Amino acid sequence: LVLTIGYLILEADFIEIRLSDGKGMKAAFVAYDHRTGFGLVRAAGPLGVIPMRFGNSGALKKGAPALVASHGGENSLMGVRITSRKEFAGYWEYLLDKAIFTSPPHPEFAGAALIRPGGRLLAIGSLFSRTVLPGVGIVPGNMFVPIDLLKPILADLKKSGRSSKPPRPWMGLFAAEVRDRLFVNRISPGGPAERAGVRPGDIILAVNQEEVKTLAGFYRKVW
């Protein structure tokens, strides 16, 4: 099994694992978890590698050193620092309570491994990000999904391809925060939001008459 970030494989027609010697090996889609963003694929044959052990991402603190490894062998390795641990809300109805933010940014962040000194896996790379650091300003970096989120659902993903936790309600709505306002940017055709009459350009003010100003607050009230 190979762990990656789910958007790389979610709509793929063909999956291939590129080995360190440059050879390719076919792989099959195994699982995707929308709640965390993790994805799993299974190689068609033995990879001849030693599996990486899980670390404890919950113990990772701001300022700690780590290593990011992506495809490309030793040339892909980059030393980083943890710039923050905070919530992350994505416009695709996605929320992490304690995402891991690092800097400097790795150019091949998607599916990359965040590794602590000692070789344990801490997180999987998801996005390019910008973090505001007091006294420094805006710092470019990456957002990683903590490995601790995988541990309780891994058995489910391997068995059935999805977590056994109840799915969160899906709205089919893409929104953005602008100065304490939530603007609807896009609507999924035929989705619940469109059927309810929501349109691009609308401003979300409240959920069940309770005011919301952030994406995270909006999602939590709906869920």
Side-chain angles (χ1 to χ4, degrees):
L1 287 172
V2 177
L3 176 65
T4 186
I5 198 70
Y7 63 74
L8 294 178
I9 62 172
L10 186 57
E11 298 179 352
D13 294 320
F14 178 80
I15 301 174
E16 183 181 65
I17 297 171
R18 185 69 62 178
L19 305 176
S20 58
D21 60 6
K23 295 180 180 179
M25 180 181 293
K26 291 182 180 180
F29 180 96
V30 173
Y32 169 68
D33 180 55
H34 183 272
R35 189 185 294 258
T36 61
F38 286 127
L40 285 177
V41 300
R42 187 182 303 278
L47 295 177
V49 297
I50 300 173
M52 186 174 292
R53 293 187 177 185
F54 291 160
N56 178 10
S57 57
L60 195 59
K61 303 297 184 182
K62 179 180 177 180
L67 189 69
V68 177
S70 184
H71 66 84
E74 293 183 3
N75 293 331
S76 78
L77 300 178
M78 176 185 289
V80 298
R81 291 278 179 179
I82 310 304
T83 56
S84 65
R85 296 293 312 273
K86 60 182 181 180
E87 72 177 12
F88 171 82
Y91 62 85
W92 58 98
E93 302 183 38
Y94 179 75
L95 178 63
L96 296 177
D97 290 330
K98 289 187 177 181
I100 300 172
F101 293 84
T102 65
S103 190
H106 194 293
E108 304 291 346
F109 54 83
L114 184 68
I115 309 167
R116 76 171 194 183
R120 299 259 178 160
L121 181 63
L122 294 172
I124 295 294
S126 179
L127 299 169
F128 174 81
S129 66
R130 292 182 175 90
T131 302
V132 178
L133 296 182
V136 177
I138 298 176
V139 176
N142 297 126
M143 188 276 280
F144 284 80
V145 182
I147 199 65
D148 285 359
L149 297 178
L150 177 68
K151 296 172 183 177
I153 64 172
L154 181 56
D156 288 339
L157 297 185
K158 291 193 293 185
K159 180 180 180 180
S160 62
R162 59 187 298 175
S163 170
S164 61
K165 293 182 179 181
R168 289 168 170 168
W170 175 71
M171 295 174 284
L173 180 153
F174 301 83
E177 296 180 28
V178 181
R179 296 182 179 179
D180 291 334
R181 293 290 191 183
L182 293 179
F183 287 84
V184 178
N185 289 334
R186 185 159 58 90
I187 296 294
S188 297
E194 183 182 67
R195 295 198 303 270
V198 181
R199 296 292 180 263
D202 284 352
I203 300 175
I204 300 169
L205 301 178
V207 175
N208 197 26
Q209 301 183 6
E210 295 185 19
E211 185 181 27
V212 292
K213 293 184 178 181
T214 66
L215 268 181
F218 172 52
Y219 294 153
R220 288 191 176 104
K221 285 186 182 298
V222 170
W223 294 339

